[in-house]
């Protein structure tokens, strides 16, 4: 499975998604990282079993400076730019990025990139 991409920018995306999974799931030691081929794209996912997000937050997490609300969210430091930058990188590579989450159950971030012809 081959993609044509800037390896450093894609590594930045992966590092950011894994760092977020670690940051927002402090009570668990399990994070699942997957890569699979679907049709003409490579789909990468990072799944954590942490605090998750409310459905109302899911559509906003890629917005610049957006920080999810919640009783303990102030305890998670950061500038709230990582996911904004991550989406920008994936979009520039003609890919898609999305998230699925359940509050209290965890979060899975996905991104897909076109396979090299």
């Amino acid at each position: 499975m081959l993609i044509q991409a800037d390896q450093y920018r894609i590594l930045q995306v992966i590092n950011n998604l894994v760092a977020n999974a670690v940051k927002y799931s402090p009570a668990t030691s399990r994070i699942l990282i997957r890569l699979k081929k679907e049709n003409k794209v490579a789909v990468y996912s990072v799944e954590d079993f942490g605090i998750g997000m409310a459905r109302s937050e899911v559509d906003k997490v890629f917005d610049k400076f957006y920080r999810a609300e919640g009783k303990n969210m102030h305890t998670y430091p950061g500038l709230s730019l990582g996911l904004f930058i991550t989406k920008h990188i994936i979009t520039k590579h003609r890919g898609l990025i999305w998230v699925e989450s359940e509050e209290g159950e965890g979060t899975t971030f996905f991104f897909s990139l076109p396979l090299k012809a």
Side-chain angles (χ1 to χ4, degrees), residues 16-72:
N16 186 56
L17 295 178
V18 171
N20 276 358
V22 170
K23 184 189 329 186
Y24 293 105
S25 55
T28 183
S29 60
R30 199 170 87 153
I31 294 170
L32 300 178
I33 301 168
R34 296 181 179 99
L35 174 63
K36 64 181 177 177
K37 180 181 175 184
E38 286 186 5
N39 298 319
K40 296 181 180 184
V41 298
V43 178
Y44 183 92
S45 65
V46 176
E47 180 180 7
D48 71 54
F49 301 88
I51 63 173
M53 293 178 265
R55 291 190 191 273
S56 60
E57 309 287 334
V58 170
D59 293 334
K60 303 173 190 173
V61 296
F62 298 107
D63 293 351
K64 193 174 189 179
F65 301 120
Y66 183 78
R67 182 173 295 276
E69 307 252 333
K71 61 182 177 183
N72 295 318

Side-chain angles (χ1 to χ4, degrees), residues 5-20 44 46 81-90 93 97 111 113:
D6 179 331
Q7 67 183 8
Y8 299 107
R9 296 291 69 86
I10 299 305
L11 183 58
Q12 182 180 1
V13 166
I14 294 167
N15 283 339
N16 186 56
L17 295 178
V18 171
N20 276 358
Y44 183 92
V46 176
L81 288 172
L83 291 174
F84 173 77
I85 293 167
T86 295
K87 181 177 182 178
H88 180 75
I89 291 169
I90 295 302
H93 281 82
I97 187 164
F111 70 87
L113 295 171

